[in-house]
Amino acid sequence: MVVRGRGDGTARIERRNVNLRLGHGFDLAGMPAYAYGELPLVEYRVSGEASSRFDLDPGRGAGDLALALAVWPHADREKGQYVGMAGYLIAPTGEYEASRTLGANLNPGSNRYAAILQAGGQQRLGEHFEWNLAADVMVFGDNDEYIGERVAVSRAGLRPADPATLEVKPYISYQSSLAWRPHRAVTLAASYYIDRGAESRVDGGEWGPSINRERYGLWGLFALSLRTRLNISYKRPVDDSSALELDDALQIRLVRFF
């Protein structure tokens, strides 16, 4: 994933991660369910004028542990009709240093709890097509060791301010996708995302601008065997007026069932 700040003298940030996931499917109160734990291994790379000017220190290592539970209150395989709900908890287990939050968090971890509630549905359209619609809201705990863009004046000149509390309002995302399955082992899809919210402030200051972004995504799912799946996805904004601009995101995931 690549993000960059707007204007001159900003930095280009690349985040690369490999996620280790362990999950299990089961029945919960008569409903199909799936639970998993996931741990990302993260590496940041920073380039641009601001990275040299402020000597930014990108981190690498284990990120925050995510725990998830999904259930499907309605699952009609014959009609290809599903309604599902999921909850996620992200715990601040990743590596974190306040000095790496100058301007943006370049730590593998976030030093705060977060939770996500998601709901969605799927409907088969004919023999080879499926339509999906989903929405989710993400809420954040406070991070009490964050610097951001604040600076302090000393005899040596400007320096980063002391760490303070970062607050973030809820982040809401909507998405819709149309999938085409030309073969039992191949699924291709196009998605559209609308992202809103997540205003933030540090040390009780004024709330910053919200995320106001729309993106498209393309992805493919390929069954290499009965137990192995390859998932390739690409996302890119079509309209982004957020303070931190998102360029694109490419994800390649290999899934092995045991």
Side-chain angles (χ1 to χ4, degrees):
M1 181 179 68
V2 179
V3 297
R4 66 171 183 268
R6 295 185 178 275
D8 298 329
T10 57
R12 178 183 175 91
I13 304 170
E14 296 184 45
R15 174 187 165 113
R16 302 182 179 184
N17 57 282
V18 175
N19 292 9
L20 306 177
R21 176 186 292 188
L22 181 61
H24 179 64
F26 56 97
D27 285 337
L28 180 63
M31 299 180 293
Y34 179 72
Y36 71 80
E38 183 172 274
L39 182 68
L41 304 178
V42 181
E43 178 187 26
Y44 280 102
R45 296 186 179 184
V46 183
S47 60
E49 181 182 345
S51 65
S52 301
R53 181 186 303 173
F54 297 104
D55 192 25
L56 298 180
D57 177 27
R60 66 172 63 183
D64 292 337
L65 176 66
L67 302 175
L69 172 63
V71 296
W72 285 263
H74 176 71
D76 190 326
R77 295 178 181 271
E78 184 175 339
K79 295 181 179 179
Q81 191 177 80
Y82 302 90
V83 175
M85 300 182 63
Y88 306 81
L89 175 65
I90 303 173
T93 60
E95 298 182 21
Y96 185 90
E97 293 182 15
S99 61
R100 292 198 183 108
T101 65
L102 178 60
N105 183 15
L106 300 180
N107 284 285
S110 58
N111 194 42
R112 66 184 178 191
Y113 282 94
I116 305 171
L117 181 62
Q118 183 180 70
Q122 174 179 307
Q123 176 63 60
R124 183 188 303 142
L125 303 175
E127 186 176 356
H128 298 290
F129 289 90
E130 295 172 349
W131 175 65
N132 295 269
L133 183 66
D136 58 73
V137 57
M138 185 174 187
V139 295
F140 307 90
D142 293 342
N143 176 359
D144 57 3
E145 289 288 327
Y146 193 85
I147 297 173
E149 300 179 355
R150 298 173 306 115
V151 295
V153 180
S154 66
R155 293 182 178 179
L158 296 178
R159 64 172 180 81
D162 293 332
T165 299
L166 168 68
E167 302 171 80
V168 180
K169 291 184 178 181
Y171 171 59
I172 302 173
S173 181
Y174 311 91
Q175 63 185 63
S176 180
S177 65
L178 181 64
W180 175 48
R181 185 173 296 174
H183 186 273
R184 292 179 59 187
V186 178
T187 302
L188 304 175
S191 303
Y192 197 81
Y193 305 84
I194 300 175
D195 305 322
R196 298 289 187 266
E199 299 97 324
S200 64
R201 67 178 180 181
V202 183
D203 198 23
E206 295 184 1
W207 291 101
S210 65
I211 292 176
N212 188 12
R213 177 185 301 131
E214 296 183 22
R215 303 174 287 157
Y216 73 85
L218 305 172
W219 58 269
L221 176 63
F222 307 92
L224 304 181
S225 70
L226 291 176
R227 294 182 175 271
T228 307
R229 304 286 188 271
L230 177 64
N231 191 332
I232 303 175
S233 66
Y234 174 77
K235 298 176 184 177
R236 187 174 182 85
V238 294
D239 183 17
D240 192 352
S241 57
S242 307
L244 190 63
E245 182 181 0
L246 180 68
D247 270 3
D248 50 22
L250 174 66
Q251 182 181 72
I252 301 175
R253 177 180 295 175
L254 185 64
V255 180
R256 175 68 177 177
F257 297 97
F258 298 95

